[in-house]
Amino acid sequence: MRRCVCPGSFDPVTLGHLDVITRAARLYDEVVVAVLDNPNKQGMFTLPERVEMITQETEHLSGVRVVPFGGRLLVDLCLEVGAQAIVKGLRGEVDYSYELPMAVMNRRMTGVETLFMPGEPGLSEVSSSLMKEVARFGGDISGLVPERVLARLQERLAQ
Ligand code: PNS
């Protein structure tokens, strides 16, 4: 069974994340989407909300499972679920500089490889934090996040 893990905070999930998960699902028998629980970081959405949104948005894909994780190393989750690789999208050099040390460290610790997938060029500007900021000040992010996520974001910002 070929299995990979796609990790992230997904606060909230964007079309960039979904593009990587969809492409990973074509390559692997199972994609485990690992949603980070970081109690030190106050996100816009709670862990159960983030898990719920990404579960809804990946329901139509076969072989995708969403799991929360936190308080331990990502590679330990990989070993537990039997994943040979971590798959991450790369939008550009900044992402690469951030991801490279983690990829090297993860392989050194366990042998779990990290595979980088070039991000879809039309989505290269999409990050959760940018989406939240643009939406907060009334900018248009339609076409960059799923419609249901856009509605949740607008609802949250109106509170
Ligand atoms: O969406 P993000 O915030 O870029 O995701 C970062 C993530 C979850 C991939 C990274 O923070 C992570 O792997 N955290 C788990 C703890 C861990 O294993 N840290 C050591 C990495 S070498």
Side-chain angles (χ1 to χ4, degrees), residues 1 3-4 25 28-32 58 60-65:
M1 182 103 169
R3 192 180 280 113
C4 75
Y28 286 87
D29 299 311
E30 186 175 55
V31 176
V32 177
T58 55
H60 62 287
L61 299 169
S62 63
V64 175
R65 178 156 62 103

Side-chain angles (χ1 to χ4, degrees), residues 7-9 36 69 72-74 88 98 102 105-106:
S9 301
L36 180 68
F69 92 106
R72 63 182 177 148
L73 292 171
L74 178 63
K88 296 219 75 178
Y98 171 69
M102 290 195 284
M105 192 65 199
N106 284 334

